[in-house]
Amino acid sequence: MKIAAFSGALMEYSIQEAMKITANLGFDGIEIACREPHLSPQTSLARVKEIRMLADEHVLEIPVLGGYMGRFSESGDPECAAAYDEFLGLLERADYLETDMIRIFPGGPNAFLAADYHYEKAAHWLKKCAAEARRHEKKILLEIHNVSLIETVESSLRLLEMIGEDNVGLIHDAGNMYISDTDFGRASVTGLGNRLLHVHVKDEKRIPEAGGPGTFRNVTRHGEEHFLQCRLGEGEVDHRELFEALAETGYGGWVTLECFAPYPPLEQLAHDRDAVRQLLRETAWAAAPTTVPRTVPASPTASPASPTPASSSSSSVSAPGGN
């Protein structure tokens, strides 16, 4: 597995600075959040070519363009057509960036609130996107996400079946699935099977009330709940079973770190990078054949003391839109 940083965690920096930071932290790649100042469907092709050159200079792959367009299920036809045009713009830029996968949002509401027509409308437009993506030899990614049609393995597979295109797959996101209170461990990996094309990791925990740095509110099947974004290992999203299942099933794709905990970006990315590397070491060892004697892998070098949380100016009290 290769590890990428999500540029959305570095939005206070230019894309040039974000790529340099990502390389200096030792990541294999960068998943670009398709919002300015990093990238958008309107970014000039000259600038797109510059981004590709910078990626080569820093020896970074760009596995995914994290698009924010779509939301077809709840939009009118003119809005859907505009979103489709945005996707076409991003698709053209993906060619220049040599990126194989583009994320699109199908839309909401929550899966448990959605009607059949929500799925039908999303499937109609996503099928159009998939047909165009196929011409460019690209794949479309749909992120399993709270407050969307695809909050669970079951709802995700339902939409994929309705789309009916094999170049559309899923992003497994244990943090989002924790919010939706659905399984994000071994059963989710085996349930998605070969439709699991990409993995996001981040940590969260339920809290009594939102309002501080890194907090937000979401509607879940339990009503309105409150959450705090955390660094990996400091919240309630235990990724160990997920990584064990990824190792056991031979997943060889990318893992992107979506770090939005209220800490300085470089420190939170470094923390989550170390946590994922440790998980990869431990789960690879656990999944190795038992016929060969094994020794427990050494613990990583101790990291510096935990940083002080960022100021309250980073507070959010709504569902995070930057992931």
Side-chain angles (χ1 to χ4, degrees), residues 201-275:
V201 296
K202 57 178 174 283
D203 206 348
E204 331 260 5
K205 68 179 178 181
R206 284 174 163 78
I207 56 174
E209 186 174 357
T215 66
F216 61 95
R217 298 187 293 262
N218 253 186
V219 173
T220 74
R221 61 191 181 90
H222 304 296
E224 184 177 85
E225 294 192 276
H226 303 251
F227 301 90
L228 172 65
Q229 296 167 317
C230 304
R231 300 186 303 180
L232 287 178
E234 296 179 355
E236 296 174 346
V237 187
D238 186 350
H239 286 78
R240 181 169 300 277
E241 186 178 323
L242 166 65
F243 275 83
E244 288 174 350
L246 293 174
E248 291 165 6
T249 57
Y251 175 77
W254 284 83
V255 174
T256 291
L257 309 190
E258 281 194 312
C259 305
F260 295 104
Y263 291 88
L266 276 66
E267 293 175 353
Q268 66 180 6
L269 274 170
H271 176 280
D272 285 12
R273 173 205 62 197
D274 291 346

Side-chain angles (χ1 to χ4, degrees), residues 86-102:
E86 284 199 343
F87 168 71
L88 296 181
L90 203 56
L91 190 59
E92 180 183 12
R93 284 146 184 82
D95 282 335
Y96 286 96
L97 293 171
E98 301 173 24
T99 301
D100 294 331
M101 299 187 288
I102 301 173

Side-chain angles (χ1 to χ4, degrees), residues 31-293:
E31 178 176 334
I32 300 181
C34 295
R35 286 176 171 168
E36 294 296 353
H38 289 181
L39 183 72
S40 75
Q42 293 78 36
T43 299
S44 71
L45 295 183
R47 184 158 160 253
V48 171
K49 292 175 184 177
E50 179 186 349
I51 292 172
R52 180 64 255 176
M53 291 175 60
L54 285 168
D56 291 339
E57 288 177 14
H58 291 299
V59 197
L60 287 173
E61 296 183 57
I62 306 174
V64 176
L65 297 185
Y68 291 91
M69 78 289 293
R71 308 183 189 277
F72 300 115
S73 56
E74 295 181 286
S75 301
D77 288 344
E79 291 79 15
C80 288
Y84 176 72
D85 287 342
E86 284 199 343
F87 168 71
L88 296 181
L90 203 56
L91 190 59
E92 180 183 12
R93 284 146 184 82
D95 282 335
Y96 286 96
L97 293 171
E98 301 173 24
T99 301
D100 294 331
M101 299 187 288
I102 301 173
R103 180 183 68 178
I104 306 178
F105 282 122
N110 303 71
F112 63 89
L113 295 174
D116 289 347
Y117 72 84
H118 288 115
Y119 285 92
E120 291 164 2
K121 186 159 192 176
H124 169 77
W125 284 97
L126 288 167
K127 190 176 184 72
K128 285 172 61 71
C129 292
E132 193 63 28
R134 190 180 301 281
R135 292 182 57 251
H136 291 254
E137 300 183 336
K138 307 296 183 190
K139 295 181 180 178
I140 290 173
L141 296 178
L142 307 179
E143 183 173 356
I144 300 179
H145 206 294
N146 44 301
V147 196
S148 84
L149 297 181
I150 54 172
E151 294 184 307
T152 65
V153 169
E154 295 75 19
S155 58
S156 300
L157 294 178
R158 176 189 179 187
L159 182 57
L160 289 188
E161 184 176 356
M162 295 174 72
I163 296 168
E165 301 289 344
D166 62 6
N167 65 330
V168 183
L170 296 162
I171 302 175
H172 186 292
D173 191 310
N176 293 339
M177 296 165 83
Y178 162 81
I179 293 171
S180 299
D181 194 18
T182 188
D183 176 76
F184 52 81
R186 182 173 282 101
S188 68
V189 173
T190 57
L192 293 175
N194 63 5
R195 307 311 294 270
L196 195 169
L197 300 184
H198 192 57
V199 175
H200 282 174
V201 296
K202 57 178 174 283
D203 206 348
E204 331 260 5
K205 68 179 178 181
R206 284 174 163 78
I207 56 174
E209 186 174 357
T215 66
F216 61 95
R217 298 187 293 262
N218 253 186
V219 173
T220 74
R221 61 191 181 90
H222 304 296
E224 184 177 85
E225 294 192 276
H226 303 251
F227 301 90
L228 172 65
Q229 296 167 317
C230 304
R231 300 186 303 180
L232 287 178
E234 296 179 355
E236 296 174 346
V237 187
D238 186 350
H239 286 78
R240 181 169 300 277
E241 186 178 323
L242 166 65
F243 275 83
E244 288 174 350
L246 293 174
E248 291 165 6
T249 57
Y251 175 77
W254 284 83
V255 174
T256 291
L257 309 190
E258 281 194 312
C259 305
F260 295 104
Y263 291 88
L266 276 66
E267 293 175 353
Q268 66 180 6
L269 274 170
H271 176 280
D272 285 12
R273 173 205 62 197
D274 291 346
V276 166
R277 285 177 174 174
Q278 181 68 7
L279 277 168
L280 289 173
R281 282 191 291 267
E282 293 174 356
T283 54
W285 170 78
T290 56
T291 54
V292 179

